[in-house]
Amino acid sequence: MTSNSDDSYVEISVNETPVNRQISEIACSPNLKHVAALHENNDISLWSIVSQEELLTKIKTINIDNISRNEKIVSIRRILRIFAISDNKQVSISLDRIDPYNFKIFDFETPDKEIKLKFPDWQKEIDILSFRDNGNIIMVNAKYYRAYVFSIKGKDNMKWVCKSMVELQYFKKIYITTKGKLILFNDTIYEIMMWDIEKLSVETRILIDWNRTLESVEISDDEKLFVVCAKNEETMETSLYVYSTETGINLASMQTKLGIDRFHLIASQKGERLLIINISKKRYSLLDPYHLKNPISASSLFENIKDKQIQEPYIIKSDKLIYTIDGEVLIEKLVDNDWVECLRKKLKDTNSITAPSEMTIETITKIINYKIYEPFRNEFEGKFLKWSLELIDGSVKLIANKLKTSIKKELYILPLFYVDANNFIVHCEVLENDDFVTITRIGVIIWTYKLFGIKMHYYWNDWNDRLENFVFEMTLFKSLFKDWKPGRILPVSNYETILKNLDIEFGKEKAYLFEVFLKDNITEEFYLTCYGKDLMEALIKQKDDKLIRFFGQSCIDKCILNNNHLISRISLLSIIFENFNELSNTHPSFIASTLSSIEFVVPGNIVNTDSTSSYISSYGKYCHLSKTSYLDILFPNIWNPFISFFQRCQKYVNQVSHSSNHSSVVLAIPLPNFVSYPKEYKNFWNEFWHPKPNCFTYLSNNQFKYELYKHINGEALLDFKWNTYGRKYYLTIWAIYTIFLGSFIIVSTLSDNISWFYQQILLYIIIILGFWHLFIEFRQLLIYSPLNYLLSSWNYLDLAATISTTATSIYWLKNGSASTWAITFSTLFVEIKFIIFFRPIKFFGIYLAMIMNTVDRVISFLIIFGFLTLAFAHSLHLLLRSASETSRDSSINMFGQFGSAIIASYYMMITGDTDPVSFWISNENIVIMILMIMVSFFMLIYLMNLFIGILSEIVSNGNHELAYLALKREIIVEIELLYMLPYQRRKKNWFPYVIFYECDTIKLRDHILDIQYNKRPGDKMPYFSKKLKEVLLLSEEHEQIEEIIEKDFTKVYKYMKGLPTCEYLKELIKDLPTHNDIKDLKKLIEDLKTNK
């Protein structure tokens, strides 16, 4: 343990008259109460904000020797970021020392007093330190990937205790927010995760495009919007991505070759903008973070700054700029109170303000809650638009004029079914962002101005029926927003009402405004990313297959740019797959088509030319935060070498099993959250008895369960799950069952050689494990429906083996012995079930899957066959049971008893041996002869040959590889639902957001060529990206195929060109004789005959 005593002396002196040296670093407290500045001469000055004014006052300056500068690279993978200040004036600084640790925390009020700090482990180095807004400290050790949370103990704020330790597993870069969120970048799969370190829950998971280096990240003050900057070192192109932390969806992105030094989200509650700064070129730009188009110069925001520009170091926080000049720290307010006015008139920014300001939200809420609306007006002037309404020929025309220009857009907004144009508009008002809100007789509508015209932006009316039947009442709209909490965007439009009124025509032009609005919501990125999930739910509810297909294709198209898949946009597919359960039931063809089209997603053109992995293997690292255990503290130096040794052994085994190295390419399974379980659940016991399924486990009860595994992604998904946790769980389950089996085999086989004492021990073990297996079966019955449970052939074997063995053991333990027949059948069932445990091994699994799959498909035939056997046995029993009909001894008459008659009949029907009835077959016994002829033809010849034919067809035509994968999936599903605890199903390294895998390039190429040559008929052709063609060298072959098709088409075209045209045939038909011509010809012939 690290001691709290400070053996390494650090001199701290207070400078009464400090010299203003150049400032190299600044840090502000979480709630912007204080600013600390680190000078070049090792002075640290404290600056505080006076009241709420935009002024900074220097409080004190101290000097510390032995300072190590922030951002100092300690090794290739470690960067120091320790300089920070808290709201209670405590400052942390890194030092050039190791003992007792490489940093020091001191209080500006009492710099000479020691602040006690104690680590619960023996680590002495901290790489990143940050103060939280609640007063805690978060520290990170980058070498061992461990985080520490410290809190103050005592009233004097001089003692810090470690509240928790967290294992981070892996990261390439890490950032800490003031609200205690850890932002971890995993460069193996280019994933960024934001964790709440105190709850140990993931807030968001996002992906960026591969082959890019993460430069920096920025998060909004409310931590709802997240911006990522990454750079492609080959093309020197910088990419900006904007994500929603609530959904993880990429809202907007842009690529530029212009330099970006820093970027900041400002005015989050007033009209949000993304500020991009290029210090060297003195370029400042503003963009709407939801669109990232049409940048506006923001130079005028920095007019009040000395020299009209900023230099490093500086901080932009809470819409304030903190910067340094000549050893002084200054603060300026970037965002005015009337920010929208500033945007529109001072900055000339006419871009849309997507995130509504507080005033916009208040205006809309106030309008809807009006008791009496103001008198009607027909003109409304905003910041840069003038809206007006006109009544023309019984219709309502909405006009938008751009102020100080002649630009004017018009739109007729009165539905044709509504004839009272004078009363259609109830109230209207222009919003702060220049959108126009109207209360109409059909709902609340917000209109917005675009270059191409006026368009409907939002529509609210929860009538959910035909609008012709809607009766307007002022109180109806008050319930629209009653449950809405003001957020970053306005509430979702009422899609259900829109979908039921798509055919409504507006204005004299008969425009379908609702249809256009719905199309915009499906095709435009803003609506798709912000409201796509709500729209998909509405489409599913309406069961509109055509629109669902259109919507799904729009999501897929947004994930493709320049003929390549964008991994950063894969999150859009979550809109589809989060509704996978409903869609696979009601629209299976759509899901099948989607799975086919996204089968080959190549995140980057990375080819591993020296791969030793199998055909398909997992790629990358997947991380999950967890509390540090005692083993992590006590045995890191032992455990890490063991893991390293195990990995070397595994690599050696792979090299031995694969005689030669091969090339492999990385692919993605683009199914976001497909394997993830819901983050929230009611309580432990509810989740234990009735776990919420994810899309993967839902397939078990779905007719669509085989579709996913037709594709290579399905096999890769199973391989990841099996190798990550499935194999460990299954071997444990198998080991428990082996103990159960072994105990019963020993006690039943060697009972004469084992004392009663040891028999009792074995029987107790059997009973305990038997009840354990029955408990699992009972849970399976609760989780699955009883019907689904009974439809599985495996469950009958499980019940037979468990119940018979447990019951026999209980009887044996109670009475001292058990009947031989009970022991015999119990042994038979329990040993057969042991054989079934080999099913995950492909060598055995394919044939076991074939056997069980065949049984499931012929079970109805076997039932019919059984009934026929009973009928035949009953007939023979009635015929041959009488003593008068036989002279044979009843002891050898197998048909004297009905039970033995069934066995004899079954034996005769299966083998064709007639010995049991041969004594009675004679010319005098006509009845038995007729009966035997009927049975021999119908059952022995016809039914048995039919049964053999059915089996042959199933075996020859069945996809046994697919059946094996489906069988393996059932095993993994049982492990997840029956053997995992709720918290284990939330482990992000076991259930990742998106899974990546390596695939052998030669086998992948063969697989793709099979698809091209239509060896998988009926499925949609997958999309082959440009990267995939480059990696697999498919371009030339594609060109050859296209050339062949083009040549064949040319031949057909030339042949068709030589055929007579339609006009030529018409002229030809005109020259043919008509019916009247034929009549005249007949008459002429008759006349000739008469004259003759």
Side-chain angles (χ1 to χ4, degrees):
M1 303 296 176
T2 302
S3 171
N4 58 19
S5 61
D6 196 345
D7 298 329
S8 179
Y9 176 71
V10 177
E11 183 178 352
I12 300 178
S13 59
V14 178
N15 294 344
E16 300 295 338
T17 56
V19 179
N20 286 339
R21 299 279 184 160
Q22 186 69 29
I23 296 175
S24 56
E25 296 178 49
I26 58 174
C28 64
S29 64
N31 294 312
L32 205 58
K33 293 181 178 180
H34 310 287
V35 177
L38 176 61
H39 299 257
E40 288 183 345
N41 62 341
N42 287 356
D43 281 351
I44 299 178
S45 57
L46 173 67
W47 305 72
S48 296
I49 297 179
V50 180
S51 303
Q52 295 299 319
E53 300 177 8
E54 279 66 48
L55 294 174
L56 281 175
T57 302
K58 184 186 290 187
I59 304 299
K60 186 181 293 186
T61 301
I62 64 174
N63 183 272
I64 301 180
D65 64 349
N66 204 26
I67 289 181
S68 174
R69 298 289 175 174
N70 275 7
E71 299 293 343
K72 177 181 177 181
I73 299 178
V74 222
S75 66
I76 296 176
R77 298 170 58 195
R78 297 176 61 200
I79 296 178
L80 286 176
R81 291 198 302 271
I82 295 180
F83 183 52
I85 184 171
S86 69
D87 286 323
N88 57 5
K89 302 180 183 179
Q90 291 188 345
V91 176
S92 61
I93 188 72
S94 59
L95 302 174
D96 280 330
R97 69 177 191 188
I98 295 179
D99 290 322
Y101 24 78
N102 66 331
F103 68 97
K104 186 175 184 67
I105 298 176
F106 62 91
D107 195 314
F108 250 103
E109 297 294 336
T110 55
D112 294 332
K113 288 188 177 180
E114 178 186 0
I115 293 181
K116 298 179 180 179
L117 188 72
K118 185 175 182 180
F119 286 88
D121 60 3
W122 47 55
Q123 304 302 333
K124 298 181 179 181
E125 295 182 78
I126 291 298
D127 301 295
I128 299 165
L129 184 149
S130 178
F131 288 96
R132 271 204 60 186
D133 55 353
N134 65 355
N136 291 345
I137 302 178
I138 299 176
M139 305 182 194
V140 176
N141 180 289
K143 181 179 179 181
Y144 294 100
Y145 302 117
R146 186 172 296 166
Y148 308 84
V149 180
F150 282 84
S151 60
I152 291 178
K153 185 178 181 180
K155 295 181 179 180
D156 56 355
N157 295 336
M158 299 301 290
K159 184 176 182 180
W160 291 85
V161 294
C162 187
K163 187 178 177 181
S164 64
M165 285 194 302
V166 179
E167 296 299 304
L168 306 180
Q169 292 191 340
Y170 176 79
F171 59 82
K172 179 65 175 179
K173 288 187 177 182
I174 184 170
Y175 304 88
I176 305 174
T177 72
T178 56
K179 294 185 179 181
K181 306 294 193 303
L182 293 185
I183 300 172
L184 307 174
F185 172 60
N186 181 351
D187 64 331
T188 63
I189 56 175
Y190 290 82
E191 181 183 45
I192 299 175
M193 302 179 75
M194 187 167 77
W195 287 83
D196 187 320
I197 194 170
E198 295 195 355
K199 297 179 181 178
L200 287 185
S201 63
V202 64
E203 298 291 314
T204 191
R205 302 154 81 177
I206 63 176
L207 296 168
I208 65 172
D209 295 318
W210 287 36
N211 301 328
R212 284 167 173 77
T213 303
L214 179 67
E215 295 288 316
S216 57
V217 301
E218 175 76 10
I219 193 165
S220 60
D221 292 335
D222 59 0
E223 299 190 350
K224 299 298 182 184
L225 215 60
F226 187 68
V227 186
V228 178
C229 179
K231 190 174 183 179
N232 189 323
E233 299 294 344
E234 294 180 3
T235 62
M236 300 305 294
E237 191 175 63
T238 301
S239 300
L240 278 178
Y241 306 95
V242 180
Y243 296 87
S244 165
T245 59
E246 296 173 302
T247 63
I249 292 179
N250 180 205
L251 302 176
S253 61
M254 64 172 286
Q255 285 75 39
T256 179
K257 290 193 175 182
L258 299 176
I260 298 177
D261 295 329
R262 297 274 291 274
F263 54 93
H264 309 275
L265 287 164
I266 61 174
S268 61
Q269 300 297 322
K270 299 179 180 180
E272 194 157 33
R273 284 294 185 259
L274 177 64
L275 173 64
I276 297 177
I277 298 175
N278 186 321
I279 296 178
S280 58
K281 296 186 177 181
K282 303 179 182 179
R283 186 187 296 120
Y284 310 96
S285 304
L286 287 178
L287 298 99
D288 180 0
Y290 287 86
H291 293 91
L292 296 183
K293 295 177 182 177
N294 191 23
I296 301 298
S297 174
S299 300
S300 57
L301 290 179
F302 302 93
E303 289 178 347
N304 297 329
I305 299 174
K306 190 176 179 181
D307 298 332
K308 306 294 183 182
Q309 66 172 343
I310 55 177
Q311 298 290 338
E312 294 284 4
Y314 75 89
I315 295 172
I316 293 180
K317 184 179 177 67
S318 300
D319 299 336
K320 295 180 178 63
L321 170 65
I322 303 169
Y323 63 104
T324 64
I325 292 179
D326 300 330
E328 298 289 327
V329 181
L330 305 173
I331 186 170
E332 293 288 345
K333 189 176 181 180
L334 276 182
V335 178
D336 294 337
N337 292 330
D338 194 354
W339 170 244
V340 177
E341 182 82 13
C342 175
L343 278 180
R344 298 304 194 205
K345 296 187 176 179
K346 182 178 179 180
L347 299 174
K348 309 299 181 185
D349 184 355
T350 59
N351 291 325
S352 60
I353 300 176
T354 305
S357 64
E358 290 181 349
M359 185 180 296
T360 299
I361 296 168
E362 289 174 2
T363 302
I364 296 173
T365 307
K366 184 174 64 175
I367 291 172
I368 291 175
N369 289 315
Y370 274 158
K371 293 183 178 179
I372 299 175
Y373 290 110
E374 297 176 1
F376 179 76
R377 294 185 295 133
N378 61 353
E379 287 190 356
F380 306 85
E381 187 171 314
K383 300 291 190 301
F384 80 102
L385 285 177
K386 179 182 178 182
W387 296 87
S388 58
L389 292 163
E390 292 183 6
L391 297 178
I392 300 177
D393 299 331
S395 186
V396 179
K397 183 167 70 173
L398 178 63
I399 304 170
N401 290 87
K402 198 168 182 181
L403 294 177
K404 299 180 181 179
T405 68
S406 59
I407 298 174
K408 182 172 73 172
K409 302 296 180 182
E410 300 176 348
L411 183 68
Y412 288 92
I413 63 172
L414 179 71
L416 290 184
F417 72 84
Y418 198 87
V419 294
D420 189 3
N422 293 317
N423 294 316
F424 177 67
I425 301 293
V426 178
H427 183 81
C428 40
E429 201 164 321
V430 66
L431 300 175
E432 190 184 26
N433 62 352
D434 283 280
D435 286 345
F436 192 59
V437 58
T438 58
I439 309 291
T440 72
R441 297 285 174 177
I442 63 170
V444 182
I445 306 175
I446 291 183
W447 309 91
T448 190
Y449 170 84
K450 297 293 181 183
L451 292 176
F452 53 81
I454 300 171
K455 58 174 284 187
M456 189 183 294
H457 194 29
Y458 288 95
Y459 174 81
W460 296 301
N461 184 355
D462 56 359
W463 176 243
N464 299 336
D465 203 346
R466 294 293 301 179
L467 288 175
E468 292 89 339
N469 304 324
F470 177 68
V471 180
F472 174 80
E473 292 181 17
M474 291 170 51
T475 57
L476 288 176
F477 296 147
K478 292 183 179 180
S479 61
L480 285 174
F481 297 155
K482 67 177 182 179
D483 297 326
W484 177 56
K485 297 178 181 179
R488 187 160 285 279
I489 55 177
L490 291 174
V492 61
S493 298
N494 293 102
Y495 289 122
E496 192 171 344
T497 303
I498 292 170
L499 287 168
K500 291 183 177 180
N501 294 275
L502 292 176
D503 59 340
I504 289 181
E505 298 173 338
F506 288 79
K508 62 181 183 180
E509 297 176 351
K510 297 183 178 181
Y512 295 98
L513 295 187
F514 281 148
E515 186 177 340
V516 173
F517 174 70
L518 184 65
K519 185 178 178 181
D520 290 341
N521 276 249
I522 292 176
T523 56
E524 293 186 14
E525 287 188 25
F526 167 71
Y527 299 107
L528 196 62
T529 54
C530 295
Y531 305 111
K533 294 181 180 180
D534 301 282
L535 178 54
M536 177 58 89
E537 290 175 2
L539 292 174
I540 293 172
K541 191 173 182 180
Q542 294 299 314
K543 300 180 180 178
D544 193 323
D545 188 70
K546 184 178 179 181
L547 283 175
I548 286 175
R549 288 175 178 273
F550 179 47
F551 183 89
Q553 190 59 47
S554 177
C555 291
I556 295 173
D557 292 342
K558 292 290 187 295
C559 297
I560 298 173
L561 179 67
N562 298 329
N563 298 323
N564 283 317
H565 289 101
L566 294 174
I567 293 299
S568 59
R569 293 293 184 88
I570 290 297
S571 54
L572 272 176
L573 298 181
S574 64
I575 298 172
I576 299 174
F577 291 104
E578 285 185 5
N579 296 283
F580 179 83
N581 299 350
E582 295 83 2
L583 289 171
S584 59
N585 284 327
T586 56
H587 304 275
S589 59
F590 164 69
I591 288 293
S593 172
T594 303
L595 289 174
S596 293
S597 62
I598 59 174
E599 182 173 1
F600 304 104
V601 175
V602 180
N605 51 0
I606 301 174
V607 178
N608 181 7
T609 57
D610 194 29
S611 176
T612 58
S613 59
S614 57
Y615 163 43
I616 291 175
S617 60
S618 176
Y619 180 84
K621 298 178 180 178
Y622 304 88
C623 303
H624 179 77
L625 270 61
S626 60
K627 294 285 187 181
T628 302
S629 66
Y630 288 108
L631 290 177
D632 294 322
I633 297 174
L634 296 175
F635 304 111
N637 296 325
I638 300 174
W639 186 247
N640 291 337
F642 175 76
I643 294 176
S644 177
F645 174 75
F646 177 76
Q647 290 173 344
R648 286 197 299 268
C649 293
Q650 191 174 25
K651 185 177 180 181
Y652 175 76
V653 171
N654 288 334
Q655 290 176 343
V656 172
S657 58
H658 301 84
S659 55
S660 60
N661 295 352
H662 59 85
S663 64
S664 63
V665 61
V666 179
L667 284 86
I669 304 177
L671 307 176
N673 287 324
F674 186 81
V675 300
S676 301
Y677 286 88
K679 184 169 66 172
E680 304 294 336
Y681 56 92
K682 291 182 180 179
N683 55 65
F684 175 85
W685 291 111
N686 184 72
E687 181 69 11
F688 180 79
W689 291 110
H690 301 284
K692 295 179 181 178
N694 58 17
C695 299
F696 176 79
T697 56
Y698 182 82
L699 283 171
S700 304
N701 306 323
N702 189 281
Q703 59 181 353
F704 198 71
K705 59 185 177 182
Y706 294 110
E707 186 63 34
L708 177 62
Y709 307 103
K710 290 181 182 178
H711 312 287
I712 191 171
N713 286 337
E715 187 176 351
L717 175 60
L718 289 178
D719 182 81
F720 171 82
K721 284 178 165 288
W722 181 254
N723 291 326
T724 303
Y725 59 83
R727 179 170 50 192
K728 303 169 187 174
Y729 273 87
Y730 193 77
L731 291 176
T732 304
I733 296 166
W734 197 352
I736 294 172
Y737 185 81
T738 302
I739 296 171
F740 176 70
L741 166 72
S743 300
F744 189 78
I745 294 298
I746 292 172
V747 76
S748 59
T749 306
L750 305 175
S751 57
D752 295 336
N753 302 323
I754 302 176
S755 66
W756 175 243
F757 173 76
Y758 290 107
Q759 288 185 37
Q760 285 180 308
I761 294 175
L762 292 172
L763 290 172
Y764 276 121
I765 292 173
I766 296 167
I767 293 169
I768 292 170
L769 295 180
F771 277 109
W772 161 255
H773 285 96
L774 285 175
F775 172 73
I776 297 297
E777 294 299 320
F778 176 70
R779 282 194 65 210
Q780 191 172 356
L781 185 65
L782 290 179
I783 293 172
Y784 304 112
S785 66
L787 180 60
N788 288 330
Y789 180 83
L790 295 174
L791 287 176
S792 175
S793 305
W794 304 99
N795 293 331
Y796 292 103
L797 180 60
D798 293 340
L799 288 174
T802 305
I803 293 175
S804 62
T805 307
T806 307
T808 301
S809 300
I810 294 173
Y811 184 86
W812 195 333
L813 186 65
K814 185 177 180 180
N815 298 287
S817 64
S819 59
T820 304
W821 68 267
I823 295 173
T824 302
F825 280 103
S826 298
T827 303
L828 174 66
F829 292 139
V830 80
E831 289 180 344
I832 291 176
K833 184 180 176 181
F834 181 79
I835 296 171
I836 302 300
F837 268 97
F838 286 95
R839 63 190 187 272
I841 303 172
K842 193 172 183 179
F843 184 77
F844 305 101
I846 289 180
Y847 295 99
L848 288 171
M850 186 190 306
I851 292 169
M852 299 307 294
N853 203 32
T854 303
V855 170
D856 290 337
R857 295 181 63 180
V858 301
I859 189 70
S860 57
F861 182 91
L862 294 176
I863 292 172
I864 294 171
F865 187 81
F867 284 135
L868 290 172
T869 303
L870 288 174
F872 179 50
H874 194 207
S875 300
L876 288 175
H877 170 65
L878 295 174
L879 182 64
L880 304 176
R881 66 179 177 174
S882 175
S884 62
E885 295 184 37
T886 179
S887 58
R888 301 188 66 176
D889 188 355
S890 61
S891 62
I892 61 173
N893 181 8
M894 298 186 67
F895 299 97
Q897 300 292 328
F898 183 62
S900 60
I902 295 174
I903 296 173
S905 300
Y906 174 76
Y907 176 76
M908 290 168 58
M909 293 170 67
I910 294 297
T911 63
D913 187 0
T914 59
D915 284 347
V917 295
S918 60
F919 179 80
W920 292 278
I921 299 176
S922 64
N923 293 333
E924 291 79 11
N925 200 338
I926 303 300
V927 176
I928 196 169
M929 291 180 66
I930 294 172
L931 192 61
M932 291 304 299
I933 290 171
M934 290 173 58
V935 171
S936 62
F937 173 76
F938 181 71
M939 301 194 69
L940 293 180
I941 298 175
Y942 178 72
L943 283 184
M944 292 306 297
N945 281 283
L946 179 63
F947 183 57
I948 293 170
I950 292 172
L951 291 178
S952 299
E953 184 181 1
I954 292 173
V955 171
S956 59
N957 296 335
N959 191 330
H960 308 302
E961 183 79 18
L962 191 63
Y964 164 71
L965 293 176
L967 183 64
K968 197 171 183 179
R969 173 192 51 79
E970 289 180 6
I971 296 170
I972 295 174
V973 169
E974 287 185 8
I975 289 172
E976 291 183 14
L977 296 180
L978 301 177
Y979 294 95
M980 284 188 180
L981 295 174
Y983 83 92
Q984 292 173 315
R985 289 194 287 269
R986 272 74 187 173
K987 296 183 72 171
K988 304 308 175 185
N989 55 339
W990 288 5
F991 304 96
Y993 181 61
V994 171
I995 296 172
F996 297 88
Y997 64 96
E998 275 187 277
C999 186
D1000 188 319
T1001 53
I1002 296 175
K1003 294 183 179 179
L1004 178 61
R1005 191 170 183 273
D1006 292 341
H1007 181 70
I1008 290 175
L1009 292 176
D1010 284 347
I1011 296 174
Q1012 289 180 344
Y1013 295 134
N1014 204 25
K1015 291 188 178 180
R1016 200 172 70 186
D1019 289 344
K1020 182 178 179 180
M1021 183 66 70
Y1023 179 81
F1024 300 114
S1025 65
K1026 182 180 177 181
K1027 289 178 182 177
L1028 183 67
K1029 294 176 183 177
E1030 290 175 354
V1031 168
L1032 300 182
L1033 303 177
L1034 291 173
S1035 300
E1036 294 181 3
E1037 295 187 8
H1038 281 193
E1039 291 173 1
Q1040 291 174 3
I1041 292 171
E1042 290 171 1
E1043 287 174 5
I1044 292 170
I1045 294 172
E1046 187 177 352
K1047 288 178 182 177
D1048 291 341
F1049 179 77
T1050 305
K1051 289 179 182 178
V1052 173
Y1053 176 73
K1054 287 181 179 179
Y1055 176 75
M1056 293 179 66
K1057 196 173 181 181
L1059 294 175
T1061 63
C1062 183
E1063 288 75 13
Y1064 175 77
L1065 291 175
K1066 285 181 180 179
E1067 293 296 327
L1068 208 62
I1069 291 170
K1070 285 181 182 179
D1071 296 335
L1072 292 175
T1074 63
H1075 181 67
N1076 292 330
D1077 293 334
I1078 294 172
K1079 285 178 69 177
D1080 293 341
L1081 182 62
K1082 284 183 178 180
K1083 188 175 181 182
L1084 181 62
I1085 292 171
E1086 292 294 330
D1087 292 342
L1088 289 173
K1089 286 181 179 180
T1090 305
N1091 293 334
K1092 188 175 179 180

